Structure formats: structure tokens, C-alpha cells
Amino acid sequence: MDNPDKRHAPWWMTVLILVLMSPVLAFPSMISSAGTPVPDALLWLYPAYVLASGICAWMCFPQRPAITWIILALLLLSNAGMLWLLTFDF
């Protein structure tokens, strides 16, 4: 029988994933601050990407923690990219 501790991510990983997913809560202000049409297409896909990344990272941790860290690094880079995209005018 499977070890019950290995079926879910530990609490600290869950908290880390939620913290890295939290910038998506600013989505309404992102919509209002988007000025050019280029970010709009990426902006509407951003919440789905963040949600999918968080779920995949959380599900992946028990068997493949290295993949979880890669997903979280990509999520952090996408958060930084979205901030850069909305901050600077083209």
C-alpha cells in the first residue's frame, strides 16, 4: 500500500505554490493597465497558465520534485515577464 505521506505535497510546498500563484489576484488591475494590444493576448492566457502551473506543480511534487522546481521557476519567470510587459511602454 502507498505511503500516505507521499501522496500529497507537504504544507510548505503548498504555501510556496500559493505564494507564487498570488500575482494572478491582480488580474483586474492588469486588464485596466494594459495599454497596447500585444499584452492583451498574453494577458488573457496568464490566469489559465498560472492555475495550470500551480496544479501541475502540486500534483508532481510527491513523485518528481525536480519537475516541480522547474515548473515553479517557469512560473516565477512568467510572473516577472508579465510585470515587465505591463510596466514598460513599447
Side-chain angles (χ1 to χ4, degrees):
M1 185 171 260
D2 288 340
N3 185 357
D5 294 336
K6 288 297 212 175
R7 286 186 286 171
H8 298 292
W11 67 270
W12 57 269
M13 181 54 75
T14 304
V15 170
L16 179 65
I17 291 169
L18 289 175
V19 165
L20 289 176
M21 289 175 63
S22 65
V24 83
L25 296 175
F27 185 68
S29 65
M30 288 179 185
I31 293 289
S32 65
S33 70
T36 61
V38 175
D40 283 345
L42 295 175
L43 191 60
W44 285 102
L45 294 175
Y46 177 67
Y49 170 74
V50 170
L51 184 64
S53 294
I55 291 171
C56 287
W58 186 77
M59 289 173 57
C60 222
F61 186 79
Q63 283 99 21
R64 299 184 185 268
I67 300 296
T68 297
W69 289 110
I70 292 170
I71 292 170
L72 292 180
L74 290 172
L75 182 59
L76 184 63
L77 287 172
S78 69
N79 289 340
M82 192 57 66
L83 177 67
W84 180 79
L85 195 60
L86 293 175
T87 303
F88 297 109
D89 243 351
F90 295 107

